[in-house]
Amino acid sequence: MTGMGVVEGGARTARSRALAVLRVRSRALAVALLPAALAVVLLAGGSAGHLLGRGWDLARWVVGVVAVVVLLLAAGVGLVVARARPAMTPTVPIPEESAPDLYRLVRDLADRLDVPAPSAIALTPDCDSWLEDRTHPAHGPPPLDPRDPREGPAGPDALRGLSSARPRRRAAAPVLVIGSPFLWWMRVGELRAVLAPVVAGTEPSAQPDIAAARRFVRGLDAAVAVASTTGRCPLSRSVCVGLGWVARLLLRGCREHAAEMERGVAAAAAERAQAVDYGLRIVAQEQVGLAYAGWDRLLTRVALPAWRMGRWPSRLDAGVVAALTELSRRDRLAEGFASRLGERPACDLLEEPGAVDEATSLLAARLFHGGPAERGPDWSPVDWREYPDEVVDRKWRTDAARLHRVLDALGVRRSSGPAATDPHGPTLARVMEHLSAPSPTSATPELSEQGGSSADDAGSAPSAPPPPATAPTAPDEEAGLGTERGAVLVAGLSAELAREEAAAPAVSPAPEEDTGRLPVTPEWDEGSLPLFPLEPPRTGRELLADHVTAMVCCAAMDTAGATPGLDWLDGPALLINGERATDLGPRVLALVENGDPVPLRTWLVDSGIRPEKPVRLV
């Protein structure tokens, strides 16, 4: 089959499936009109002198009432399906005046493909690109086309004074949503090759049957979301139950047809795009996978610790370039990437790439962490140069302080032995002695009493909940903790973290104001943030290992002159004599899992770190 035949075949398949979706809608309408049709037949028979008698009169009344009720219910469902706001991806809109070269590239690409150009461009903090229909009235009026004189302020409608009274809606093309990491990592030619099959999908979107089928499916999906809204009165809940049942029933009826329709649209668009930069598309697809890997590592290893500290990196897209460059260097691919990095990056198509990067970075923090919408005293941007001091150092000292607060609550002594320079200061030796000491067999109630007195002496130190007095706590075998002391310490850390999260102020939407940055489309429920949590809850072993590692790093910085650093792929890093300490993790795990302090103590001696000296905490 030729390329044009594949395009026509995919388009025919998509249109036939769209008609199948519309037939589901027609059948639902026919079922809703059936009682009314029967009532009309009964009324017509009575007026013509047929179907007479008391039984027929009763049937006419019953069927008429049923028909009215069904019509009212059908009208209500149809109104909700038509008026409910479909889901819209949170994006950063890119006006044409802020990226004229990018709009020119997309329009030239549409001309080469002989398809309609997208109506607008938006960026999303994700490694994907797609077309999104935003023609629903709830999403606002479509953007005006400056090339159409009828839509400008000097058009004939404006001269007649009609444009302000009744704005004319036109069938706008879908919005092109581009993953922001693509603009920074890819070159201009690679971006054009990646966007070719996406832009080619604007032609099926303009087909009336496919557009109508998509509107119907999106309306049903929005109706299900409306029916699932909580906090309604009992009467409204009962109505929403019926609405949700009908919408889900219709969705089940057209789900397969809608999926096949989208596959046909994708096949037709991909085949049409074969004629545009086919060889470069193969290379560009490799860059898509690489960008996704680097973006995921950057968010989970680098951005997430900063978000937890109340700071959001303001140049995430620039950071993904550094992360992927580091990845290529470690994998000995630097020579292959050096040539492509010399070409023009796609972010040069933007007039102000820094402002766009900041807006997408803030949106990423909103989506993946649930941070506030605007900067504030507890939510401020951080530059990559300031990241080690503002985030890494503060994170380690905060975790170490939390660890010592839990030890205070458990009644663990501050120091033991004459080597301690400050018997009242927090030391790494205290943590190592506690985790490596043999577990008591019946001292659990005594530890609880000591923890209460120690917490009272400390004043502000919170007290952990006392362990059960019936039996000592068993080691947390599922979490990889082989000692009872480690399990008790994990329980205290979990409780402390839960208290801190509960005491954190709730995120509230910021008021509208001119901040000088690009706006973000607020089309999500504020109570559902974060929409895409990055990391599952940490296990007990991971939680304790992170806190012990933080304590080791604090001791290294305060006693051996080590410095905090940033590794683009692994996040916070400890630098000793300018070199990253890569062998610390297994030694900390030996202490946490088995209570064996020898590997860690040997490493401390070799690195010149003194665990008995107190450290500075937050």
Side-chain angles (χ1 to χ4, degrees):
M1 181 180 291
T2 63
M4 186 57 64
V6 174
V7 174
E8 294 178 354
R12 283 197 301 268
T13 300
R15 186 172 183 272
S16 65
R17 293 293 184 169
L19 293 176
V21 173
L22 296 179
R23 281 195 292 270
V24 173
R25 184 183 65 179
S26 300
R27 293 192 190 103
L29 180 61
V31 170
L33 294 177
L34 184 60
L38 182 58
V40 170
V41 171
L42 293 176
L43 291 174
S47 62
H50 305 290
L51 307 179
L52 301 176
R54 187 173 181 181
W56 288 110
D57 292 338
L58 180 61
R60 274 188 285 271
W61 277 102
V62 172
V63 174
V65 171
V66 171
V68 171
V69 172
V70 172
L71 287 177
L72 291 175
L73 293 177
V77 172
L79 183 63
V80 172
V81 171
R83 299 288 296 176
R85 173 183 296 187
M88 191 172 78
T89 307
T91 56
V92 177
I94 304 298
E96 185 170 359
E97 58 270 15
S98 66
D101 292 341
L102 180 59
Y103 274 81
R104 190 177 302 112
L105 180 145
V106 172
R107 285 173 182 152
D108 292 343
L109 183 59
D111 292 339
R112 293 177 61 183
L113 295 171
D114 194 21
V115 298
S119 60
I121 298 177
L123 297 185
T124 182
D126 196 6
C127 291
D128 200 359
S129 298
W130 65 89
L131 293 171
E132 188 166 288
D133 186 2
R134 297 183 179 179
T135 57
H136 193 274
H139 294 155
L144 299 180
D145 189 353
R147 296 171 294 180
D148 191 348
R150 296 173 298 176
E151 297 185 355
D157 290 342
L159 293 178
R160 291 192 297 264
L162 299 178
S163 60
S164 60
R166 186 187 291 261
R168 183 175 61 86
R169 288 195 68 87
R170 61 184 175 87
V175 174
L176 174 61
V177 181
I178 305 175
S180 62
F182 292 165
L183 285 176
W184 268 258
W185 175 243
M186 291 186 174
R187 310 298 101 178
V188 173
E190 294 170 348
L191 180 67
R192 183 191 301 110
V194 167
L195 294 182
V198 182
V199 175
T202 57
E203 185 181 33
S205 300
Q207 211 279 335
D209 295 328
I210 295 178
R214 285 175 167 176
R215 284 195 301 269
F216 178 60
V217 174
R218 284 196 303 269
L220 291 177
D221 184 69
V224 171
V226 170
S228 303
T229 304
T230 58
R232 300 181 182 272
C233 63
L235 180 60
S236 299
R237 282 200 300 269
S238 60
V239 173
C240 287
V241 167
L243 171 64
W245 181 83
V246 173
R248 292 185 182 93
L249 180 64
L250 294 176
L251 276 176
R252 284 194 297 269
C254 63
R255 179 185 298 134
E256 181 179 355
H257 298 301
E260 292 297 330
M261 176 186 70
E262 297 300 339
R263 291 191 186 98
V265 169
E271 189 61 32
R272 180 179 289 275
Q274 294 287 345
V276 178
D277 300 330
Y278 178 73
L280 191 57
R281 283 179 59 195
I282 300 176
V283 178
Q285 288 301 324
E286 297 176 356
Q287 302 305 320
V288 170
L290 190 62
Y292 183 86
W295 183 249
D296 181 71
R297 291 291 290 266
L298 184 72
L299 292 182
T300 56
R301 304 295 181 87
V302 179
L304 188 59
W307 293 338
R308 287 174 174 169
M309 301 304 298
R311 308 296 297 272
W312 52 279
S314 59
R315 295 294 184 268
L316 281 180
D317 293 309
V320 76
V321 178
L324 292 174
T325 304
E326 177 67 16
L327 178 63
S328 64
R329 186 189 64 82
R330 293 185 186 181
D331 291 345
R332 298 180 180 179
L333 299 175
E335 295 181 1
F337 284 107
S339 59
R340 65 176 296 275
L341 291 179
E343 302 174 8
R344 184 189 182 192
C347 62
D348 281 355
L349 300 173
L350 304 172
E351 291 292 313
E352 298 182 4
V356 175
D357 196 356
E358 183 176 352
T360 54
S361 299
L362 182 58
L363 178 59
R366 290 283 284 160
L367 297 181
F368 299 117
H369 183 66
E374 294 291 342
R375 67 177 71 191
D378 298 325
W379 186 247
S380 57
V382 60
D383 190 75
W384 291 125
R385 293 188 299 267
E386 304 170 352
Y387 186 93
D389 294 329
E390 297 292 333
V391 175
V392 179
D393 183 89
R394 183 182 169 196
K395 174 185 181 300
W396 286 341
R397 298 189 187 279
T398 300
D399 288 350
R402 184 184 303 112
L403 178 61
H404 279 279
R405 286 199 303 270
V406 174
L407 291 176
D408 290 339
L410 294 176
V412 179
R413 289 178 297 177
R414 281 281 181 176
S415 177
S416 62
T421 59
D422 184 1
H424 301 290
T427 62
L428 174 60
R430 180 195 190 196
V431 178
M432 297 175 62
E433 291 172 2
H434 178 70
L435 290 176
S436 59
S439 301
T441 57
S442 60
T444 301
E446 181 181 352
L447 283 178
S448 300
E449 294 175 3
Q450 292 177 355
S453 60
S454 175
D456 294 337
D457 295 339
S460 60
S463 59
T470 55
T473 306
D476 191 354
E477 297 178 358
E478 295 183 359
L481 297 175
T483 64
E484 175 190 334
R485 289 178 179 268
V488 174
L489 195 55
V490 166
L493 290 172
S494 301
E496 182 71 13
L497 283 171
R499 279 192 292 268
E500 292 178 5
E501 292 178 359
V507 176
S508 58
E512 295 290 338
E513 59 179 5
D514 185 10
T515 59
R517 297 196 305 273
L518 293 176
V520 178
T521 51
E523 296 295 335
W524 59 80
D525 181 12
E526 296 289 340
S528 62
L529 292 173
L531 297 180
F532 312 104
L534 283 179
E535 196 176 50
R538 288 178 288 183
T539 63
R541 179 184 63 178
E542 294 171 343
L543 183 63
L544 184 56
D546 288 346
H547 284 75
V548 174
T549 300
M551 188 63 209
V552 173
C553 293
C554 291
M557 291 188 295
D558 291 346
T559 67
T563 57
L566 169 60
D567 186 278
W568 290 108
L569 297 176
D570 296 327
L574 179 66
L575 304 180
I576 300 178
N577 297 325
E579 297 292 333
R580 181 188 171 199
T582 58
D583 52 351
L584 176 59
R587 291 161 172 78
V588 171
L589 289 179
L591 175 64
V592 168
E593 294 178 354
N594 306 319
D596 182 11
V598 176
L600 180 58
R601 186 174 289 116
T602 302
W603 183 87
L604 294 174
V605 172
D606 294 340
S607 302
I609 302 172
R610 301 183 59 182
E612 74 279 359
K613 297 192 68 174
V615 300
R616 179 174 56 88
L617 303 179
V618 174

